[in-house]
mmCIF file of all heavy atoms in Angstrom:
data_model
loop_
_atom_site.group_PDB
_atom_site.id
_atom_site.type_symbol
_atom_site.label_atom_id
_atom_site.label_comp_id
_atom_site.label_asym_id
_atom_site.label_seq_id
_atom_site.Cartn_x
_atom_site.Cartn_y
_atom_site.Cartn_z
ATOM 1 N N GLN A 34 256.219 -224.656 192.055
ATOM 2 C CA GLN A 34 255.863 -225.489 193.202
ATOM 3 C C GLN A 34 254.368 -225.803 193.225
ATOM 4 O O GLN A 34 253.958 -226.889 193.650
ATOM 5 C CB GLN A 34 256.283 -224.795 194.499
ATOM 6 C CG GLN A 34 256.054 -225.642 195.737
ATOM 7 C CD GLN A 34 256.569 -224.963 196.987
ATOM 8 O OE1 GLN A 34 257.379 -224.051 196.932
ATOM 9 N NE2 GLN A 34 256.081 -225.417 198.140
ATOM 10 N N ASP A 35 253.552 -224.854 192.767
ATOM 11 C CA ASP A 35 252.113 -225.099 192.739
ATOM 12 C C ASP A 35 251.762 -226.236 191.782
ATOM 13 O O ASP A 35 250.848 -227.034 192.049
ATOM 14 C CB ASP A 35 251.364 -223.824 192.335
ATOM 15 C CG ASP A 35 251.319 -222.811 193.459
ATOM 16 O OD1 ASP A 35 251.131 -223.223 194.614
ATOM 17 O OD2 ASP A 35 251.478 -221.614 193.176
ATOM 18 N N LEU A 36 252.467 -226.317 190.653
ATOM 19 C CA LEU A 36 252.204 -227.397 189.710
ATOM 20 C C LEU A 36 252.757 -228.726 190.226
ATOM 21 O O LEU A 36 252.086 -229.763 190.149
ATOM 22 C CB LEU A 36 252.825 -227.078 188.349
ATOM 23 C CG LEU A 36 252.602 -228.146 187.271
ATOM 24 C CD1 LEU A 36 251.122 -228.259 186.919
ATOM 25 C CD2 LEU A 36 253.431 -227.850 186.035
ATOM 26 N N VAL A 37 253.964 -228.688 190.771
ATOM 27 C CA VAL A 37 254.610 -229.908 191.246
ATOM 28 C C VAL A 37 253.783 -230.583 192.339
ATOM 29 O O VAL A 37 253.694 -231.816 192.405
ATOM 30 C CB VAL A 37 256.034 -229.599 191.756
ATOM 31 C CG1 VAL A 37 256.637 -230.804 192.472
ATOM 32 C CG2 VAL A 37 256.925 -229.172 190.596
ATOM 33 N N THR A 38 253.146 -229.799 193.187
ATOM 34 C CA THR A 38 252.381 -230.360 194.310
ATOM 35 C C THR A 38 250.921 -230.613 193.966
ATOM 36 O O THR A 38 250.157 -231.057 194.827
ATOM 37 C CB THR A 38 252.453 -229.411 195.522
ATOM 38 O OG1 THR A 38 251.916 -228.123 195.153
ATOM 39 C CG2 THR A 38 253.884 -229.243 196.003
ATOM 40 N N SER A 39 250.506 -230.338 192.721
ATOM 41 C CA SER A 39 249.105 -230.497 192.338
ATOM 42 C C SER A 39 248.833 -231.901 191.788
ATOM 43 O O SER A 39 249.651 -232.451 191.042
ATOM 44 C CB SER A 39 248.721 -229.459 191.276
ATOM 45 O OG SER A 39 247.398 -229.690 190.806
ATOM 46 N N PRO A 40 247.674 -232.480 192.122
ATOM 47 C CA PRO A 40 247.307 -233.766 191.524
ATOM 48 C C PRO A 40 246.841 -233.631 190.068
ATOM 49 O O PRO A 40 246.674 -234.633 189.378
ATOM 50 C CB PRO A 40 246.154 -234.247 192.420
ATOM 51 C CG PRO A 40 245.535 -232.996 192.942
ATOM 52 C CD PRO A 40 246.680 -232.038 193.120
ATOM 53 N N LEU A 41 246.635 -232.401 189.615
ATOM 54 C CA LEU A 41 246.197 -232.175 188.238
ATOM 55 C C LEU A 41 247.354 -232.384 187.273
ATOM 56 O O LEU A 41 248.474 -231.906 187.503
ATOM 57 C CB LEU A 41 245.656 -230.749 188.074
ATOM 58 C CG LEU A 41 244.435 -230.363 188.920
ATOM 59 C CD1 LEU A 41 244.130 -228.879 188.740
ATOM 60 C CD2 LEU A 41 243.227 -231.207 188.536
ATOM 61 N N SER A 42 247.094 -233.071 186.187
ATOM 62 C CA SER A 42 248.115 -233.220 185.149
ATOM 63 C C SER A 42 248.251 -231.898 184.398
ATOM 64 O O SER A 42 247.346 -231.056 184.439
ATOM 65 C CB SER A 42 247.713 -234.321 184.176
ATOM 66 O OG SER A 42 246.592 -233.903 183.399
ATOM 67 N N PRO A 43 249.360 -231.690 183.706
ATOM 68 C CA PRO A 43 249.497 -230.464 182.900
ATOM 69 C C PRO A 43 248.340 -230.282 181.916
ATOM 70 O O PRO A 43 247.869 -229.156 181.700
ATOM 71 C CB PRO A 43 250.831 -230.662 182.182
ATOM 72 C CG PRO A 43 251.610 -231.539 183.109
ATOM 73 C CD PRO A 43 250.609 -232.479 183.706
ATOM 74 N N GLU A 44 247.878 -231.384 181.326
ATOM 75 C CA GLU A 44 246.762 -231.291 180.383
ATOM 76 C C GLU A 44 245.478 -230.861 181.092
ATOM 77 O O GLU A 44 244.677 -230.090 180.535
ATOM 78 C CB GLU A 44 246.550 -232.649 179.694
ATOM 79 C CG GLU A 44 247.647 -233.041 178.710
ATOM 80 C CD GLU A 44 248.918 -233.560 179.398
ATOM 81 O OE1 GLU A 44 248.866 -233.862 180.626
ATOM 82 O OE2 GLU A 44 249.955 -233.679 178.729
ATOM 83 N N GLU A 45 245.277 -231.343 182.318
ATOM 84 C CA GLU A 45 244.088 -230.955 183.083
ATOM 85 C C GLU A 45 244.157 -229.487 183.499
ATOM 86 O O GLU A 45 243.145 -228.776 183.498
ATOM 87 C CB GLU A 45 243.940 -231.852 184.298
ATOM 88 C CG GLU A 45 243.526 -233.275 183.967
ATOM 89 C CD GLU A 45 243.575 -234.206 185.172
ATOM 90 O OE1 GLU A 45 244.446 -234.008 186.057
ATOM 91 O OE2 GLU A 45 242.751 -235.138 185.226
#
Side-chain angles (χ1 to χ4, degrees):
Q34 185 176 341
D35 285 320
L36 180 65
V37 170
T38 59
S39 174
L41 299 174
S42 69
E44 290 78 14
E45 289 172 327

